[in-house]
Amino acid sequence: YTALSVTSFIDKEKRAEYFEITDNEVPIFKIYLPENEFLAMKNESNKLTVDSIEGKIDGLLLALKNKINKLKGLNFIETFPDNNINEINNILPQLKIDKDGFAGFDVEEVLSGFNLDPEFYKEDELSAIDKHFFESNENFNINEIITIMSTLKPADGIELEQLLNTSNNDENIPDQGKEMESGKIPEIIPDLSAVEKFKTKNATIIIDINK
């Protein structure tokens, strides 16, 4: 967090004295707020605007399409030879894996189940939006699907960590011929106008000088 002061914490007549004392010392400036105001400041700084969330969702949607296309292009028979199709369909029924080993779910139907409304995420913390978005389709929770897939044993030569990679760059997941979109999730920028709305006259400062 960043604090700005529009008035001086240090009386003018004492500034020269403080500067002289700190010529050869490194002071530590400690700024204190009442607990309730400190919490209020944190809440204000974490607020998001609709515009900033829309930009975030655009990137998340691209990443989601990438993950879904990779699931569609994955042959589960070849990837998990120790598990038959019935077993996998029992634990991952939403994938609707066919007899050839490919997921048969409808891509457009799945995508339509994810919440793209910025208002839905407005009360989230910055770090929570990714998780909230990928879990917003209760019938196709991407995070849950990845977690369940991680319990299956892949064929020799297939790196499970790469297969289930959920980072922004999904290039390492094996592509079995299906077209994929690539996208990088943009870093969200806090709403600085919201931060500027927080003001207080109850801050105090303590200067520690190690003598």
Side-chain angles (χ1 to χ4, degrees), residues 2 10 14 26 33 38-39 54 58 60 70 79-80 100 102 136 144 154 166 172 183 187 197 206:
T2 301
I10 304 173
K14 293 184 178 179
V26 178
L33 283 174
F38 179 65
L39 293 174
E54 284 179 347
D58 286 343
L60 288 172
K70 286 174 181 180
T79 304
F80 303 107
D100 295 320
F102 290 98
S136 64
E144 182 180 63
T166 57
N172 291 328
E187 181 182 358
K197 293 176 184 176
I206 294 177

Side-chain angles (χ1 to χ4, degrees), residues 50-68 111 114-116 118 121 129-131 133-134 166-170 181-188:
V50 170
D51 288 343
S52 64
I53 296 175
E54 284 179 347
K56 177 72 168 178
I57 290 176
D58 286 343
L60 288 172
L61 180 59
L62 197 59
L64 174 64
K65 290 178 179 179
N66 192 22
K67 296 175 191 300
I68 287 177
L111 287 174
F114 286 85
N115 199 320
L116 306 181
Y121 304 96
I129 292 182
D130 292 28
K131 181 177 184 294
F133 175 82
F134 288 124
T166 57
S167 66
N168 294 355
N169 296 317
D170 286 324
E181 294 184 56
S182 62
K184 192 138 179 121
I185 301 175
E187 181 182 358
I188 194 164

Side-chain angles (χ1 to χ4, degrees), residues 8-10 13 23 32-33 47 51 64 69 77 86 103-104 143 150 155 165-166 171 182 190 194-195 204 208-209:
S8 175
F9 279 97
I10 304 173
E13 61 272 15
D23 274 348
Y32 293 88
L33 283 174
K47 282 185 178 178
D51 288 343
L64 174 64
N69 282 330
I77 294 176
N86 289 335
N143 290 343
S150 69
N165 186 0
T166 57
E171 295 123 0
S182 62
V195 178
T204 57
D208 283 349
I209 301 175

Side-chain angles (χ1 to χ4, degrees), residues 185-198:
I185 301 175
E187 181 182 358
I188 194 164
I189 301 174
D191 177 18
L192 296 181
S193 64
V195 178
E196 291 172 356
K197 293 176 184 176
F198 178 82

